[in-house]
Amino acid sequence: MDVTEFQRWVKDYYKMRGWSDLDIFVRIGFLAEETGEVARAIRALEIGRDRPDEVASTLEENKRELTEELGDVLGNLIVIANKLHNKKNRLFYTYVVYLIIMTGQCTLLATL
């Protein structure tokens, strides 16, 4: 799946769920939430969570969680770029997609 196909998929999926109609400031809130979830996933992967109220996850589970959260951040970035719809935003999220693909951090893109 290339960037254009992923953008189209995100646009269609978010529209189907009614998420693309949300105000841009709501989207920014979701992006902030998802970014926090990426931070949490990285912490679990790198140093562990060490919480008595949580069951420890395996390395593969932690990697999968990070992949999912990076995909959520990317989806939110694409929705925001689609809403603002200008070339600067397209360049921005294209660069983000490129970095994720090149670093192998988001297998979600390969599975869609």
Side-chain angles (χ1 to χ4, degrees):
M1 176 176 287
D2 67 18
V3 173
T4 303
E5 291 171 320
F6 187 62
Q7 178 188 9
R8 197 172 309 117
W9 181 87
V10 167
K11 182 179 180 181
D12 294 343
Y13 181 75
Y14 278 56
K15 186 174 185 173
M16 177 186 72
R17 300 292 305 257
W19 296 341
S20 59
D21 298 330
L22 298 173
D23 183 88
I24 193 73
F25 293 106
V26 173
R27 290 264 46 102
I28 295 295
F30 285 139
L31 177 60
E33 177 184 348
E34 295 300 342
T35 302
E37 291 175 9
V38 166
R40 179 181 179 166
I42 289 171
R43 178 183 173 188
L45 189 60
E46 294 296 321
I47 63 173
R49 294 276 299 153
D50 193 26
R51 295 199 38 146
D53 59 332
E54 293 180 4
V55 177
S57 300
T58 67
L59 178 62
E60 287 307 311
E61 289 170 331
N62 286 337
K63 286 181 179 181
R64 188 172 41 253
E65 179 71 19
L66 177 57
T67 298
E68 290 173 12
E69 299 307 340
L70 285 170
D72 290 346
V73 166
L74 181 58
N76 276 283
L77 286 172
I78 288 175
V79 169
I80 291 167
N82 285 344
K83 275 189 161 301
L84 299 176
H85 196 65
N86 65 47
K87 289 183 180 180
K88 285 185 181 178
N89 288 317
R90 285 186 193 181
L91 289 174
F92 174 72
Y93 76 76
T94 300
Y95 179 69
V96 170
V97 170
Y98 172 78
L99 286 177
I100 290 172
I101 291 170
M102 294 309 292
T103 59
Q105 295 297 309
C106 190
T107 56
L108 172 70
L109 294 176
T111 62
L112 293 176

